[in-house]
Amino acid sequence: MLLSDLVPGRQGRIKAVRGGRESCARLAALGFVPGTRVQAERPAPGGDPAVFSLRGYTLALRLEEAKRVEVEAE
């Protein structure tokens, strides 16, 4: 499943990050690397971006970027 499909309150473990070199490097710099546990927190009021927690911090990620992250729901 994709990170963008993870419903608020659910956790998943990152399996892969897809996309071009620059987008993969940016997501990796934010902590989106395989094996990392991530939790969907809430969507923004307009629906985009969504808020995720991982590695002890919370961040907003555009849904277009969240579609590049493959997760396994836990």
Coordinates of all heavy atoms in Angstrom, one line a residue:
M1 N 0.8 -1.2 0.0 CA 0.0 0.0 0.0 C 0.9 1.2 0.0 O 2.1 1.1 0.3 CB -1.0 0.0 1.2 CG -0.5 0.5 2.5 SD -1.6 0.4 3.9 CE -3.0 1.1 3.3
L2 N 0.3 2.4 -0.3 CA 1.1 3.6 -0.4 C 0.9 4.4 0.9 O -0.2 4.3 1.6 CB 0.6 4.5 -1.5 CG 0.8 3.8 -2.9 CD1 0.3 4.7 -4.0 CD2 2.3 3.5 -3.2
L3 N 1.8 5.2 1.3 CA 1.7 6.0 2.5 C 0.5 6.9 2.4 O -0.2 7.1 3.4 CB 3.0 6.8 2.7 CG 3.1 7.7 3.9 CD1 3.0 6.9 5.2 CD2 4.4 8.5 3.9
S4 N 0.2 7.4 1.3 CA -1.0 8.3 1.1 C -2.3 7.5 1.4 O -3.3 8.2 1.7 CB -1.1 8.8 -0.3 OG -1.1 7.8 -1.3
D5 N -2.3 6.2 1.4 CA -3.5 5.4 1.7 C -3.6 5.0 3.2 O -4.7 4.5 3.6 CB -3.5 4.1 0.9 CG -3.5 4.4 -0.6 OD1 -4.1 5.4 -1.0 OD2 -2.9 3.6 -1.4
L6 N -2.6 5.3 4.0 CA -2.6 5.0 5.4 C -3.6 5.9 6.1 O -3.5 7.1 6.0 CB -1.2 5.1 5.9 CG -0.8 4.4 7.2 CD1 -1.0 2.9 7.0 CD2 0.6 4.7 7.6
V7 N -4.6 5.3 6.8 CA -5.6 6.2 7.4 C -5.1 6.7 8.8 O -4.2 6.1 9.4 CB -6.9 5.4 7.7 CG1 -7.5 5.0 6.3 CG2 -6.7 4.1 8.5
P8 N -5.5 7.9 9.2 CA -5.1 8.4 10.4 C -5.2 7.5 11.6 O -6.2 6.8 11.8 CB -6.0 9.7 10.6 CG -6.3 10.1 9.2 CD -6.5 8.7 8.5
G9 N -4.1 7.4 12.4 CA -4.1 6.5 13.5 C -3.4 5.2 13.3 O -3.0 4.4 14.2
R10 N -3.3 4.8 12.0 CA -2.6 3.5 11.6 C -1.1 3.7 11.4 O -0.7 4.8 11.0 CB -3.2 3.0 10.3 CG -4.7 2.6 10.4 CD -5.0 1.3 11.1 NE -4.1 0.2 10.8 CZ -4.4 -0.7 9.9 NH1 -5.5 -0.6 9.2 NH2 -3.5 -1.7 9.7
Q11 N -0.4 2.6 11.7 CA 1.0 2.6 11.5 C 1.4 1.7 10.3 O 0.7 0.8 10.0 CB 1.7 2.2 12.7 CG 1.7 3.1 13.9 CD 2.5 2.6 15.0 OE1 3.2 1.6 15.0 NE2 2.5 3.4 16.1
G12 N 2.6 2.0 9.8 CA 3.1 1.1 8.8 C 4.6 1.1 8.8 O 5.2 2.0 9.4
R13 N 5.2 0.2 8.1 CA 6.7 0.2 8.0 C 7.0 0.4 6.6 O 6.5 -0.2 5.7 CB 7.2 -1.2 8.5 CG 8.7 -1.2 8.6 CD 9.2 -2.4 9.4 NE 8.7 -2.5 10.7 CZ 9.3 -1.9 11.8 NH1 10.3 -1.2 11.6 NH2 8.8 -2.1 13.0
I14 N 8.0 1.3 6.3 CA 8.3 1.7 5.0 C 9.0 0.5 4.3 O 10.0 0.0 4.9 CB 9.2 3.0 5.0 CG1 8.4 4.1 5.5 CG2 9.7 3.3 3.6 CD1 9.3 5.4 5.8
K15 N 8.6 0.2 3.1 CA 9.2 -0.9 2.3 C 10.1 -0.4 1.2 O 11.1 -0.9 1.0 CB 8.1 -1.8 1.7 CG 7.3 -2.6 2.7 CD 6.1 -3.3 2.1 CE 6.6 -4.2 1.0 NZ 5.5 -5.0 0.4
A16 N 9.6 0.7 0.6 CA 10.4 1.3 -0.5 C 10.0 2.7 -0.8 O 8.9 3.1 -0.4 CB 10.2 0.4 -1.8
V17 N 10.9 3.4 -1.4 CA 10.6 4.8 -1.8 C 10.9 4.8 -3.3 O 11.9 4.5 -3.8 CB 11.5 5.8 -1.1 CG1 11.3 7.2 -1.6 CG2 11.3 5.7 0.4
R18 N 9.9 5.3 -4.1 CA 9.9 5.3 -5.5 C 10.1 6.7 -6.0 O 9.7 7.7 -5.3 CB 8.6 4.7 -6.1 CG 8.2 3.4 -5.5 CD 8.7 2.2 -6.3 NE 8.2 1.0 -5.8 CZ 8.9 0.0 -5.4 NH1 10.2 0.2 -5.4 NH2 8.4 -1.1 -4.9
G19 N 10.5 6.9 -7.2 CA 10.6 8.2 -7.9 C 12.0 8.5 -8.4 O 12.9 7.6 -8.4
G20 N 12.2 9.7 -8.8 CA 13.5 10.1 -9.3 C 14.5 10.3 -8.2 O 14.2 10.2 -7.0
R21 N 15.7 10.5 -8.6 CA 16.8 10.6 -7.7 C 16.7 11.7 -6.7 O 16.9 11.5 -5.5 CB 18.1 10.7 -8.5 CG 19.4 10.5 -7.7 CD 20.5 10.4 -8.7 NE 21.6 11.2 -8.2 CZ 22.6 11.6 -8.9 NH1 22.7 11.3 -10.2 NH2 23.6 12.3 -8.4
E22 N 16.3 12.9 -7.2 CA 16.1 14.0 -6.3 C 15.0 13.8 -5.3 O 15.2 14.1 -4.1 CB 15.8 15.3 -7.1 CG 17.0 15.8 -7.8 CD 16.7 17.0 -8.6 OE1 15.8 17.7 -8.3 OE2 17.5 17.3 -9.6
S23 N 13.9 13.3 -5.7 CA 12.7 13.1 -4.8 C 13.1 12.0 -3.8 O 12.7 12.1 -2.6 CB 11.4 12.8 -5.5 OG 11.6 11.6 -6.2
C24 N 13.7 10.9 -4.2 CA 14.1 9.9 -3.2 C 15.1 10.4 -2.2 O 15.1 10.1 -1.0 CB 14.7 8.7 -4.0 SG 13.5 7.7 -4.9
A25 N 16.1 11.2 -2.7 CA 17.1 11.8 -1.8 C 16.4 12.7 -0.8 O 16.7 12.7 0.4 CB 18.1 12.6 -2.5
R26 N 15.4 13.5 -1.2 CA 14.7 14.4 -0.3 C 13.9 13.7 0.7 O 14.0 14.0 1.9 CB 13.8 15.3 -1.1 CG 13.0 16.3 -0.2 CD 12.0 17.2 -1.0 NE 11.4 18.1 -0.2 CZ 10.4 17.9 0.6 NH1 10.0 16.6 0.9 NH2 9.8 18.8 1.3
L27 N 13.2 12.6 0.3 CA 12.4 11.8 1.3 C 13.4 11.1 2.2 O 13.1 11.0 3.4 CB 11.5 10.8 0.5 CG 10.4 11.5 -0.2 CD1 9.7 10.5 -1.2 CD2 9.4 12.1 0.8
A28 N 14.5 10.6 1.8 CA 15.5 9.9 2.7 C 16.0 10.9 3.7 O 16.2 10.6 4.9 CB 16.6 9.3 1.8
A29 N 16.3 12.2 3.3 CA 16.7 13.2 4.2 C 15.7 13.5 5.3 O 16.1 13.9 6.4 CB 17.1 14.4 3.4
L30 N 14.4 13.3 4.9 CA 13.4 13.5 5.9 C 13.1 12.3 6.8 O 12.3 12.4 7.7 CB 12.1 13.9 5.2 CG 12.0 15.2 4.5 CD1 10.8 15.4 3.6 CD2 12.1 16.4 5.5
G31 N 13.8 11.2 6.5 CA 13.7 10.0 7.4 C 12.9 8.9 6.7 O 12.7 7.9 7.4
F32 N 12.4 9.1 5.5 CA 11.6 8.1 4.9 C 12.5 7.0 4.2 O 12.8 7.1 3.0 CB 10.6 8.7 3.9 CG 9.6 9.5 4.5 CD1 9.7 10.8 4.7 CD2 8.4 8.9 4.9 CE1 8.7 11.6 5.3 CE2 7.4 9.6 5.5 CZ 7.5 11.0 5.7
V33 N 13.0 6.1 5.0 CA 13.9 5.1 4.5 C 13.3 3.7 4.8 O 12.6 3.6 5.8 CB 15.3 5.2 5.1 CG1 16.0 6.5 4.6 CG2 15.3 5.2 6.6
P34 N 13.6 2.7 4.0 CA 13.0 1.4 4.3 C 13.3 0.9 5.7 O 14.4 1.1 6.2 CB 13.7 0.5 3.2 CG 13.9 1.4 2.1 CD 14.3 2.7 2.8
G35 N 12.3 0.3 6.3 CA 12.4 -0.3 7.7 C 11.9 0.7 8.7 O 11.7 0.3 9.9
T36 N 11.7 1.9 8.4 CA 11.3 2.9 9.4 C 9.8 2.8 9.6 O 9.0 2.7 8.7 CB 11.6 4.4 8.9 OG1 13.0 4.5 8.7 CG2 11.1 5.4 9.9
R37 N 9.3 2.9 10.9 CA 7.9 2.9 11.2 C 7.4 4.3 11.1 O 8.0 5.3 11.5 CB 7.7 2.4 12.6 CG 6.2 2.3 13.0 CD 6.0 1.7 14.4 NE 6.2 0.3 14.2 CZ 6.8 -0.5 15.2 NH1 7.2 0.0 16.3 NH2 6.9 -1.8 15.0
V38 N 6.2 4.4 10.4 CA 5.6 5.7 10.2 C 4.1 5.6 10.6 O 3.5 4.6 10.4 CB 5.8 6.2 8.8 CG1 5.1 5.2 7.8 CG2 5.2 7.6 8.6
Q39 N 3.6 6.7 11.2 CA 2.1 6.7 11.5 C 1.5 7.9 10.9 O 2.0 9.0 10.9 CB 2.0 6.8 13.0 CG 0.5 6.9 13.5 CD 0.3 6.8 15.0 OE1 1.0 6.1 15.6 NE2 -0.7 7.4 15.5
A40 N 0.3 7.6 10.3 CA -0.5 8.7 9.7 C -1.2 9.4 10.9 O -1.9 8.7 11.7 CB -1.5 8.1 8.7
E41 N -1.1 10.7 11.0 CA -1.7 11.5 12.1 C -3.0 12.1 11.7 O -4.1 11.8 12.2 CB -0.7 12.6 12.5 CG 0.5 12.0 13.1 CD 0.3 11.3 14.4 OE1 -0.7 11.5 15.1 OE2 1.2 10.4 14.8
R42 N -3.0 12.9 10.7 CA -4.2 13.6 10.2 C -4.0 14.3 8.9 O -2.9 14.7 8.6 CB -4.7 14.6 11.3 CG -3.7 15.8 11.5 CD -4.0 16.6 12.7 NE -3.0 17.7 12.9 CZ -1.9 17.5 13.5 NH1 -1.5 16.3 14.0 NH2 -1.0 18.5 13.6
P43 N -5.1 14.5 8.2 CA -4.9 15.3 6.9 C -5.0 16.8 7.3 O -5.5 17.2 8.3 CB -6.2 14.9 6.1 CG -7.2 14.5 7.1 CD -6.4 13.9 8.3
A44 N -4.5 17.6 6.4 CA -4.6 19.1 6.6 C -6.1 19.5 6.4 O -6.8 18.7 5.8 CB -3.7 19.8 5.6
P45 N -6.5 20.6 6.8 CA -7.9 21.0 6.6 C -8.4 20.9 5.2 O -9.5 20.5 4.9 CB -7.9 22.5 7.1 CG -6.8 22.5 8.1 CD -5.8 21.6 7.6
G46 N -7.5 21.2 4.2 CA -7.9 21.1 2.8 C -7.7 19.7 2.3 O -8.0 19.5 1.1
G47 N -7.1 18.8 3.1 CA -6.8 17.5 2.6 C -5.4 17.2 2.1 O -5.0 16.1 2.0
D48 N -4.7 18.3 1.9 CA -3.3 18.1 1.4 C -2.5 19.3 1.9 O -2.9 20.5 1.8 CB -3.3 18.1 -0.1 CG -1.9 17.7 -0.7 OD1 -1.2 17.1 0.0 OD2 -1.7 18.0 -1.9
P49 N -1.5 19.1 2.6 CA -0.7 17.9 2.9 C -1.3 17.1 4.0 O -2.2 17.6 4.7 CB 0.7 18.4 3.3 CG 0.4 19.7 3.9 CD -0.8 20.3 3.2
A50 N -0.8 15.9 4.3 CA -1.1 15.1 5.4 C 0.0 15.1 6.4 O 1.1 15.4 6.1 CB -1.4 13.7 4.9
V51 N -0.3 14.8 7.6 CA 0.7 14.8 8.7 C 1.0 13.4 9.1 O 0.1 12.6 9.3 CB 0.1 15.6 9.9 CG1 1.1 15.6 11.1 CG2 -0.3 17.1 9.5
F52 N 2.3 13.2 9.2 CA 2.9 11.8 9.6 C 3.9 12.0 10.7 O 4.5 13.0 10.8 CB 3.5 11.2 8.4 CG 2.6 11.0 7.2 CD1 2.6 11.9 6.2 CD2 1.8 9.9 7.1 CE1 1.7 11.8 5.1 CE2 1.0 9.7 6.0 CZ 0.9 10.6 5.0
S53 N 4.0 10.9 11.5 CA 5.0 10.9 12.6 C 5.9 9.7 12.3 O 5.5 8.6 11.9 CB 4.3 10.6 13.9 OG 3.5 11.7 14.3
L54 N 7.2 10.0 12.4 CA 8.3 9.0 12.3 C 9.5 9.5 12.9 O 9.7 10.7 13.1 CB 8.5 8.7 10.8 CG 9.2 9.8 9.9 CD1 9.9 9.1 8.8 CD2 8.3 10.8 9.4
R55 N 10.3 8.6 13.5 CA 11.6 8.9 14.1 C 11.5 9.9 15.2 O 12.5 10.7 15.3 CB 12.6 9.2 13.0 CG 12.9 8.1 12.0 CD 14.0 8.5 11.1 NE 14.2 7.3 10.2 CZ 15.4 6.7 10.2 NH1 16.3 7.0 11.0 NH2 15.5 5.6 9.4
G56 N 10.4 10.0 15.9 CA 10.3 10.9 17.0 C 9.9 12.4 16.6 O 9.9 13.2 17.5
Y57 N 9.5 12.6 15.4 CA 9.0 13.9 15.0 C 7.8 13.8 14.1 O 7.5 12.7 13.6 CB 10.1 14.8 14.4 CG 10.6 14.3 13.1 CD1 10.1 14.8 11.9 CD2 11.6 13.4 13.0 CE1 10.5 14.4 10.7 CE2 12.1 12.9 11.8 CZ 11.5 13.4 10.6 OH 12.0 13.0 9.4
T58 N 7.1 14.9 13.9 CA 5.9 15.0 13.1 C 6.2 16.0 12.0 O 6.7 17.0 12.2 CB 4.7 15.4 13.9 OG1 4.6 14.6 15.1 CG2 3.4 15.5 13.1
L59 N 5.7 15.6 10.8 CA 5.9 16.5 9.6 C 4.7 16.4 8.7 O 4.0 15.4 8.6 CB 7.2 16.2 8.9 CG 7.3 14.9 8.2 CD1 7.2 15.1 6.7 CD2 8.6 14.2 8.5
A60 N 4.5 17.4 7.9 CA 3.5 17.5 6.9 C 4.2 17.1 5.6 O 5.3 17.6 5.2 CB 2.9 18.8 6.8
L61 N 3.5 16.2 4.8 CA 4.0 15.8 3.5 C 2.9 15.9 2.5 O 1.8 15.4 2.7 CB 4.5 14.3 3.7 CG 5.3 13.7 2.5 CD1 6.6 14.4 2.4 CD2 5.5 12.2 2.8
R62 N 3.2 16.4 1.4 CA 2.2 16.5 0.3 C 1.8 15.1 -0.1 O 2.7 14.2 -0.2 CB 2.8 17.3 -0.9 CG 3.1 18.7 -0.6 CD 3.5 19.5 -1.8 NE 4.6 18.6 -2.5 CZ 5.4 19.1 -3.5 NH1 5.3 20.3 -3.9 NH2 6.2 18.3 -4.0
L63 N 0.6 15.0 -0.5 CA 0.1 13.6 -0.9 C 0.8 13.1 -2.1 O 1.0 11.9 -2.3 CB -1.4 13.7 -1.1 CG -2.2 13.9 0.2 CD1 -3.7 13.9 -0.1 CD2 -1.9 12.8 1.2
E64 N 1.2 14.0 -3.0 CA 2.0 13.6 -4.2 C 3.3 12.9 -3.8 O 3.7 11.9 -4.4 CB 2.2 14.8 -5.1 CG 2.9 14.4 -6.4 CD 2.0 13.6 -7.3 OE1 0.7 13.8 -7.3 OE2 2.5 12.7 -8.0
E65 N 3.9 13.4 -2.7 CA 5.1 12.8 -2.3 C 4.8 11.5 -1.5 O 5.6 10.5 -1.6 CB 5.9 13.7 -1.4 CG 6.5 14.9 -2.2 CD 7.2 15.9 -1.3 OE1 6.6 16.4 -0.3 OE2 8.4 16.1 -1.5
A66 N 3.7 11.5 -0.7 CA 3.3 10.3 0.1 C 3.0 9.1 -0.9 O 3.1 8.0 -0.5 CB 2.1 10.6 1.0
K67 N 2.6 9.4 -2.1 CA 2.3 8.4 -3.1 C 3.6 7.7 -3.5 O 3.5 6.6 -4.2 CB 1.6 8.9 -4.2 CG 0.1 9.3 -3.9 CD -0.6 9.9 -5.1 CE -2.0 10.3 -4.7 NZ -2.7 10.9 -5.8
R68 N 4.7 8.2 -3.3 CA 6.0 7.6 -3.7 C 6.6 6.7 -2.6 O 7.6 6.0 -2.9 CB 7.0 8.7 -3.9 CG 6.7 9.6 -5.1 CD 7.7 10.6 -5.3 NE 7.3 11.4 -6.5 CZ 7.5 12.7 -6.5 NH1 8.1 13.4 -5.6 NH2 7.2 13.4 -7.6
V69 N 5.9 6.6 -1.5 CA 6.4 5.8 -0.4 C 5.5 4.6 -0.2 O 4.3 4.7 0.1 CB 6.5 6.6 1.0 CG1 7.0 5.7 2.1 CG2 7.3 7.8 0.8
E70 N 6.1 3.4 -0.4 CA 5.4 2.1 -0.2 C 5.5 1.7 1.2 O 6.6 1.6 1.7 CB 5.9 1.1 -1.2 CG 5.1 -0.2 -1.2 CD 5.7 -1.2 -2.2 OE1 6.4 -0.8 -3.1 OE2 5.5 -2.4 -2.0
V71 N 4.4 1.3 1.9 CA 4.4 0.9 3.3 C 3.7 -0.5 3.4 O 2.8 -0.8 2.6 CB 3.8 1.9 4.2 CG1 4.6 3.2 4.2 CG2 2.4 2.2 3.9
E72 N 4.0 -1.2 4.5 CA 3.3 -2.4 4.9 C 2.6 -2.0 6.1 O 3.2 -1.7 7.1 CB 4.3 -3.5 5.1 CG 3.6 -4.8 5.5 CD 4.6 -5.9 5.6 OE1 5.8 -5.7 5.3 OE2 4.2 -7.0 6.1
A73 N 1.3 -2.1 6.1 CA 0.4 -1.7 7.3 C 0.7 -2.7 8.4 O 0.9 -3.8 8.2 CB -1.0 -1.7 6.9
E74 N 0.7 -2.1 9.6 CA 0.9 -2.9 10.8 C -0.3 -3.0 11.7 O -1.2 -2.1 11.6 CB 2.1 -2.4 11.7 CG 3.4 -2.5 11.0 CD 4.6 -2.0 11.8 OE1 4.3 -1.3 12.8 OE2 5.7 -2.4 11.5

